[in-house]
Amino acid sequence: MSIISFFGEFMDLNQWMVLFMFISFIVMLFRGIPVAYALVGVSLLFVVINVFLLDPNRHYIGEYIDFSRIRSNYLKLEANSGRFFGNIIKNPVLVALPMFIFMGLMLDQSGVAQRMMRSMQVLFGALKGGLALTVMLIGIILAASTGVIGASVVLLGVMGLPAMMKQNYSKPIATGTIAASGTLGILIPPSIMLVIMSDQLSISLGDLFMGALFPGLILGGLYIAFIIIYGLIKPGSMPLPKNPEPVSAKVLLEVMIAVLPPMMLILLVLGSIFFGLATPTEASGLGALGATALAIMNRRMDMKVFTDVMRQTLNTSGYIVGIFIAANFFAFVLRLYGGDEIIENVVLGSFDDPYLVICFILFIIFCLGFLLDWIEITLIIMPLMLPVILSLDVAVEGYGVVSNPSVVWFAILVAVTLQTSFLTPPVGFALFYLKGVCPPGVTLGHIYKGIIPFVMLQLLGLAIVFMIPELTTWLPAIAYGN
Amino acid sequence: MTDNSVTSVKSPTTITDPGESNRAEHLWGDRLVIRTGRIIAWLFPLLMVAIVIQVIIRKFGFNQAWLDDAQWWMYGIAMLTAFGYSISTESHVRVDIFHQNYSAAKKARIELFALGWLLLPFLILMTDIMTHYAISSWTAGEGSDSPNGLHMLYLLKMALPVLFMLAILAAMSALYRHLIKLTPPAVWKYILAGLPAFIFLAERVVNYVIWWHIRISQPDLSVFSINDEPLFDWALPLGTAIVMAVILAAFLAARRSTTGSLNS
């Protein structure tokens, strides 16, 4: 037992076990094992270690390890059934998840984006960077009505990239614009990420939706400002079309007609939440119906589109719920080893100033974003951070309406930080999807170069939200004030 | 502003049927899971309709609690089916910085490890404990939280282990699919590829045999104290021994048949 006492000198055995748990998870991750499988595998491994190695020897190692909390047997695992049922199945808030996925996929098929592209292209034809602006605006409008990013990036890429190449846009700007605008969908409500966050942090989904609206629009505004300014500084990177069509009243009308349907959808979904007419779950159902109606109106609907959207919804729900189930079990096993408290103490002990602690968490999430995607980060890291935020006692104005304003603020901060995780190589959802639709001649180098300014802008947006927490709590307070 | 002008911007096919992406490789197990998924996918439009109907009738002052319950019932069943479906379509999220450069054989080996050693034991565990959960719900006659909600909650709870079994079928089928990429198939290789899962499965079977043995031989013993019997210590060694014996027998049978075919 001298080895144990040797290791016990540095950290107690619980801490070693938690450390090993994360290390073995990361090793498996790098080997390309699906995240959900790796999570459940690591958890099972540590259950086995617990039951067959630690528990029988608890008389010898009891002074080094907090064995009362780790003693376990098969019967204790039965508790996971209730956790699984309560957290994942009997969860009316999460009903919104597949509905928003369905809505986003359906909207991408509905042809509204193509219509907007056609008309807005003409409207901004005489403006430097007009095409990039068009793509950006479509991205923002789609963002406000969908919650899935993969499909949006593919759609914008297939639509916008060839057009921009034809006009001799610089490739980094073109790819960066598409990746960044497609990514906004996950921040601007309704978004499935916010649905999952509200579940993990036990805060109101309505608060989170309303809270994310301003930060999302700020980010969109920064992108637009950047494109306009960049077009003025470096006109060569965004040349004008050869013979732009004149902007007439007819063009304006066409833009209006193209933009109106998605705007109505936004009004339907966000408006019904804002005015308290419907819960977010009900709004998700209405939104799905609205998107279907748009597809029918644009004559894009047939049996194949409908079944494909359904099946793709099933598939997307499947890999999200896979990590849900796995992370739920992982948290269960982590708790057997006291891992939640250990991590809470490590994070809390990192800095004295609560704002520095939050910066520290955000920095870690930013770094994890290079490797992981939002699903893993929100499902594994967020529940561990909740007790930290609650005990930090950061004063955020809730106007007496928003409950747990500091948690809402923190969730939005993480949501903005996670925007970078889509764009940062080597693993980024947006990059992955964009790569798939790139025309020949566009290399990974162009894409990587293109996202740098947008990641900077995202960090700037993060700083703004960090400095002015009221941005996230004012709107929910107005919406639910009376 | 006619529809012709809109469709002249060529509609990109940004969506595909995930179940068809590598259909040529699929075995009957994969197809079964995917077909089930296709049927269950209809729950999404149904869920949409249910939500919309509820919004409308709530406006008119009717509140149907059973419709509330029906929503998360549908959602729950669809989600768990989706879990198995995306095992078959292999769309679970992974970090592919290194993975994308691996050789096909290495990818197949990783998949075998991931499915047989990591995922399958968990699925068996979940099936087992969810079955207990469903049985206790059934014996308690569990109903809805609200008086006019959907009662018979145990029906939903009974569906859950069945759907985990669907996920097991998906994983086992995928395990076989990746095994035949590496070597000619054989029973012993298949069991080795999922060794922890099969040992765990055997342990569970032996465990239940012991349980019923005690239950029948000592009918006056309380149901709750059966699990404290020392006989259960034998479940794991016995289960392991059975799996090892099956591997050995299958190996010998496979060798005999190959040497036999060489001699003839």
Side-chain angles (χ1 to χ4, degrees):
Chain A
M1 288 300 110
S2 58
I3 299 175
I4 289 180
S5 63
F6 174 74
F7 281 113
E9 291 285 307
F10 300 100
M11 294 189 283
D12 70 35
L13 215 50
N14 292 71
Q15 286 168 323
W16 279 107
M17 296 315 277
V18 170
L19 188 67
F20 284 142
M21 222 170 144
F22 276 100
I23 289 177
S24 44
F25 171 58
I26 289 168
V27 169
M28 285 187 193
L29 219 57
F30 271 107
R31 303 296 284 182
I33 290 172
V35 180
Y37 305 179
L39 274 177
V40 295
V42 167
S43 313
L44 279 180
L45 175 69
F46 279 80
V47 167
V48 168
I49 289 177
N50 198 350
V51 172
F52 293 102
L53 214 64
L54 298 182
D55 205 35
N57 297 317
R58 63 177 175 272
H59 298 299
Y60 308 109
I61 60 178
E63 51 185 303
Y64 305 106
I65 191 160
D66 194 359
F67 73 86
S68 65
R69 62 160 82 245
I70 70 150
R71 175 155 51 178
S72 68
N73 54 30
Y74 193 76
L75 288 178
K76 281 210 172 159
L77 288 179
E78 302 258 347
N80 196 46
S81 58
R83 273 174 59 92
F84 167 76
F85 185 77
N87 291 350
I88 297 170
I89 303 296
K90 190 180 181 179
N91 195 332
V93 173
L94 286 183
V95 174
L97 187 74
M99 283 295 98
F100 280 133
I101 296 174
F102 186 91
M103 168 180 161
L105 291 171
M106 187 55 94
L107 199 72
D108 284 343
Q109 295 306 302
S110 68
V112 290
Q114 283 86 345
R115 212 166 187 164
M116 284 195 282
M117 179 86 190
R118 236 191 87 79
S119 55
M120 283 162 93
Q121 209 176 329
V122 180
L123 181 67
F124 296 124
L127 195 68
K128 283 276 177 212
L131 198 49
L133 273 186
T134 306
V135 171
M136 190 57 82
L137 280 175
I138 295 174
I140 293 171
I141 293 174
L142 280 186
S145 38
T146 78
V148 200
I149 94 123
S152 297
V153 172
V154 171
L155 181 72
L156 290 172
V158 171
M159 233 173 40
L161 210 49
M164 290 204 254
M165 293 295 99
K166 216 166 121 192
Q167 257 186 57
N168 265 327
Y169 267 52
S170 98
K171 285 163 190 157
I173 280 293
T175 49
T177 304
I178 287 169
S181 57
T183 305
L184 266 182
I186 209 77
L187 178 60
I188 298 184
S191 116
I192 52 175
M193 181 170 79
L194 297 178
V195 176
I196 294 178
M197 275 188 180
S198 90
D199 174 63
Q200 293 294 312
L201 299 176
S202 6
I203 42 180
S204 144
L205 180 54
D207 284 355
L208 212 46
F209 270 10
M210 290 303 136
L213 197 58
F214 278 141
L217 291 179
I218 287 173
L219 221 49
L222 285 175
Y223 294 163
I224 289 176
F226 168 74
I227 290 174
I228 292 176
I229 293 171
Y230 197 82
L232 291 176
I233 298 172
K234 277 195 172 175
S237 62
M238 295 186 251
L240 291 174
K242 295 266 162 47
N243 35 7
E245 277 178 57
V247 179
S248 58
K250 185 170 167 285
V251 172
L252 271 177
L253 188 68
E254 264 184 46
V255 171
M256 291 300 291
I257 292 172
V259 172
L260 205 60
M263 283 297 178
M264 294 295 287
L265 194 63
I266 296 171
L267 205 68
L268 179 71
V269 175
L270 291 186
S272 61
I273 300 174
F274 188 88
F275 296 111
L277 296 176
T279 64
T281 309
E282 291 167 346
S284 71
L286 291 174
L289 186 74
T292 315
L294 280 184
I296 294 171
M297 263 163 49
N298 284 341
R299 300 189 189 166
R300 290 302 180 89
M301 179 65 91
D302 54 32
M303 205 53 200
K304 176 150 176 26
V305 168
F306 194 64
T307 53
D308 279 357
V309 167
M310 252 161 42
R311 289 169 193 172
Q312 200 73 49
T313 307
L314 191 74
N315 203 37
T316 308
S317 312
Y319 66 69
I320 293 177
V321 87
I323 298 180
F324 237 109
I325 295 172
N328 195 42
F329 186 55
F330 184 78
F332 176 72
V333 177
L334 196 64
R335 195 154 297 158
L336 289 182
Y337 285 95
D340 46 345
E341 277 176 28
I342 290 172
I343 289 171
E344 187 186 335
N345 290 335
V346 168
V347 175
L348 274 178
S350 59
F351 290 99
D352 289 333
D353 186 353
Y355 288 95
L356 279 180
V357 174
I358 290 183
C359 285
F360 176 64
I361 297 172
L362 294 177
F363 178 71
I364 290 176
I365 290 176
F366 174 73
C367 293
L368 285 174
F370 280 88
L371 189 65
L372 299 173
D373 279 313
W374 65 272
I375 313 176
E376 297 95 300
I377 295 177
T378 35
L379 285 172
I380 304 169
I381 309 293
M382 293 289 264
L384 291 173
M385 292 304 145
L386 178 62
V388 178
I389 298 305
L390 286 177
S391 63
L392 273 183
D393 199 28
V394 187
V396 173
E397 177 65 59
Y399 303 96
V401 177
V402 182
S403 54
N404 280 333
S406 60
V407 181
V408 173
W409 176 58
F410 174 72
I412 305 292
L413 283 177
V414 174
V416 177
T417 313
L418 283 178
Q419 285 279 300
T420 62
S421 86
F422 292 101
L423 298 186
T424 43
V427 183
F429 251 138
L431 300 181
F432 173 77
Y433 286 108
L434 192 57
K435 237 174 357 189
V437 296
C438 271
V442 179
T443 63
L444 261 184
H446 292 135
I447 299 182
Y448 287 169
K449 211 173 138 198
I451 56 132
I452 295 172
F454 290 99
V455 173
M456 297 289 175
L457 290 175
Q458 286 168 346
L459 292 178
L460 179 62
L462 180 66
I464 295 174
V465 180
F466 190 83
M467 294 296 172
I468 317 170
E470 286 76 17
L471 283 173
T472 60
T473 52
W474 181 76
L475 195 59
I478 294 294
Y480 298 106
N482 31 41
Chain B
M1 199 62 226
T2 61
D3 275 298
N4 291 340
S5 67
V6 175
T7 42
S8 69
V9 180
K10 193 71 193 125
S11 151
T13 47
T14 52
I15 198 165
T16 49
D17 185 348
E20 299 298 309
S21 57
N22 52 350
R23 180 169 186 162
E25 281 182 15
H26 283 170
L27 309 166
W28 65 266
D30 302 296
R31 294 317 298 172
L32 185 66
V33 173
I34 285 170
R35 292 229 174 84
T36 314
R38 280 182 189 170
I39 298 167
I40 297 291
W42 281 97
L43 282 179
F44 292 128
L46 205 62
L47 179 57
M48 176 176 93
V49 172
I51 292 174
V52 172
I53 287 178
Q54 206 206 10
V55 172
I56 294 170
I57 61 173
R58 183 168 289 166
K59 275 269 142 292
F60 291 105
F62 302 105
N63 200 359
Q64 300 293 335
W66 66 270
L67 210 50
D68 269 325
D69 285 348
Q71 285 171 18
W72 63 262
W73 278 45
M74 281 194 269
Y75 147 85
I77 289 174
M79 281 315 211
L80 205 47
T81 315
F83 181 51
Y85 184 82
S86 46
I87 294 173
S88 275
T89 59
E90 295 187 4
S91 20
H92 279 287
V93 186
R94 68 171 95 224
V95 176
D96 59 355
I97 338 170
F98 301 119
H99 186 263
Q100 59 192 355
N101 299 323
Y102 288 164
S103 67
K106 189 164 185 182
K107 276 183 186 167
R109 275 200 299 276
I110 285 174
E111 220 60 26
L112 286 187
F113 177 69
L115 287 164
W117 287 61
L118 303 179
L119 179 64
L120 261 178
F122 173 72
L123 293 179
I124 294 171
L125 169 77
M126 285 311 279
T127 310
D128 187 44
I129 64 178
M130 290 317 287
T131 310
H132 297 173
Y133 195 59
I135 290 172
S136 64
S137 172
W138 162 257
T139 47
E142 204 176 354
S144 170
D145 291 344
S146 53
N148 52 349
L150 272 190
H151 293 292
M152 302 189 286
L153 184 63
Y154 45 83
L155 283 185
L156 175 66
K157 289 191 175 175
M158 281 173 185
L160 301 181
V162 176
L163 291 176
F164 269 112
M165 278 181 220
L166 187 77
I168 290 180
L169 176 66
M172 286 202 163
S173 189
L175 190 68
Y176 191 77
R177 183 146 47 89
H178 288 286
L179 184 72
I180 58 179
K181 282 181 188 167
L182 281 176
T183 82
V187 175
W188 63 273
K189 288 178 191 164
Y190 186 70
I191 297 179
L192 273 184
L195 190 62
F198 286 107
I199 289 179
F200 183 38
L201 191 62
E203 189 268 344
R204 283 287 95 197
V205 171
V206 172
N207 192 72
Y208 289 119
V209 169
I210 293 174
W211 198 91
W212 280 104
H213 168 73
I214 297 174
R215 182 98 178 84
I216 291 164
S217 60
Q218 292 161 273
D220 46 335
L221 199 66
S222 147
V223 181
F224 300 104
S225 52
I226 289 181
N227 280 319
D228 301 332
E229 290 289 308
L231 205 52
F232 282 104
D233 293 342
W234 286 96
L236 185 63
L238 212 57
T240 315
I242 291 173
V243 172
M244 292 305 167
V246 171
I247 291 178
L248 193 66
F251 177 70
L252 290 177
R255 210 173 67 162
R256 176 169 299 166
S257 70
T258 47
T259 50
S261 63
L262 282 179
N263 289 344
S264 60

